[in-house]
Amino acid sequence: MSKHDNIYANPLGQVAGFEFDQQVVEVFPDMIKRSVPGYATIVAMIGTLAERYVQAGSRCYDLGSSLCAATLAMRHRIPAADCQIIAVDNSKAMVDQARTVLKADSGEIPVQLICDNLQNVVIENASMVVLNFTLQFIPVGEREEILKKIHEGLRPGGILIVSEKVDFADNAHNELMIELHHSFKAANGYSAMEIAQKRSALENVLIPETLDNHRQRLKGVGFTSVDVWFQCFNFASLIAIKGNPEK
């Protein structure tokens, strides 16, 4: 069982940039449950999507896998034979804890856990790739190349799930969504100081974009069908499908 997240409960003289270090790993399940509206639903539905889209003899990738929530969701719902899941995270603390999580899991589909930057991972023979609140931590200028590599490594009919915190072009609507998100966090027990300090820690670390930017980029690298399948306030998840090649 994870610890209660109180990382920002006391006043900090200087708020350092957010990192997925040991301190965060210890409270991560509690942190994300109380911070990201709809997170549990998104993870559960990743399993449902895996049941529908994962192809026999293919690979699934969980890029930015943290404690392997999406990996486990896929692992327990994939009916196709001879599949493998590749889980990648660049935080050693996360990967070390994820190994413990996977060891305790009863799923039979093999999982390869890799500690590396996702930019260094070769995507091949994939039928499903998940970027669950991962792309937002990648420099904006590197995002298109990552998505292009994913598209190239997917089989026809394969899918990419991209879950992100998002911005809105209309400033008034954007501020409303931020305020509603803060209300969600307050309702889950975070103080105004915790919310403010966490926001400062994430500034220039988590860079959100609009849904239109995400759609255009995904279409630009070749995905034939792209749209939102889940949204709550300023958190959304898109599904991008690679079409079959023309005959």
Side-chain angles (χ1 to χ4, degrees), residues 1-9 18-36 39 66-67 93-94 97 190 194 198:
M1 186 177 235
S2 72
K3 297 179 182 178
H4 184 74
D5 174 24
N6 61 2
I7 291 174
Y8 299 99
F18 186 84
E19 292 184 26
F20 291 97
D21 55 16
Q22 186 61 42
Q23 180 180 222
V24 168
V25 170
E26 290 177 0
V27 302
F28 186 72
D30 181 69
M31 174 186 284
I32 202 157
K33 179 178 71 174
R34 295 165 62 209
S35 301
V36 178
Y39 180 77
S66 62
L67 297 183
M94 277 289 187
Q97 182 60 28
Y190 283 115
E194 286 178 287
K198 177 75 172 292

Side-chain angles (χ1 to χ4, degrees), residues 155-157 242-247:
R155 290 181 175 186
K242 180 173 180 176
N244 289 305
E246 293 183 3
K247 294 182 181 179

Side-chain angles (χ1 to χ4, degrees), residues 100-193:
T100 301
V101 171
L102 291 172
K103 188 175 181 180
D105 180 65
S106 60
E108 296 181 359
I109 294 174
V111 177
Q112 181 183 0
L113 190 57
I114 299 172
C115 185
D116 201 348
N117 292 323
L118 63 89
Q119 294 94 323
N120 298 329
V121 176
V122 176
I123 309 296
E124 56 187 2
N125 190 32
S127 60
M128 183 168 182
V129 179
V130 176
L131 285 164
N132 206 32
F133 302 104
T134 299
L135 202 63
Q136 60 196 22
F137 292 105
I138 301 290
V140 174
E142 298 179 24
R143 296 177 187 182
E144 183 174 349
E145 188 60 33
I146 289 167
L147 296 177
K148 182 179 178 182
K149 181 174 73 169
I150 290 170
H151 181 267
E152 290 173 350
L154 275 167
R155 290 181 175 186
I159 63 166
L160 167 64
I161 303 300
V162 181
S163 308
E164 291 278 287
K165 186 176 184 181
V166 297
D167 269 344
F168 298 88
D170 182 276
N171 288 333
H173 189 74
N174 196 55
E175 286 303 312
L176 173 62
M177 292 299 104
I178 291 171
E179 289 172 11
L180 289 170
H181 177 223
H182 289 172
S183 295
F184 169 85
K185 294 179 76 171
N188 282 325
Y190 283 115
S191 68
M193 181 177 65

Side-chain angles (χ1 to χ4, degrees), residues 28-84:
F28 186 72
D30 181 69
M31 174 186 284
I32 202 157
K33 179 178 71 174
R34 295 165 62 209
S35 301
V36 178
Y39 180 77
T41 299
I42 290 171
V43 169
M45 292 306 103
I46 284 171
T48 298
L49 290 164
E51 186 174 38
R52 179 183 179 94
Y53 284 100
V54 174
Q55 303 171 23
S58 70
R59 294 179 173 182
C60 302
Y61 290 81
D62 183 5
L63 303 177
S65 52
S66 62
L67 297 183
C68 287
T71 291
L72 295 180
M74 291 187 284
R75 191 183 205 186
H76 288 280
R77 294 296 295 273
I78 293 172
D82 301 321
C83 293
Q84 180 187 18

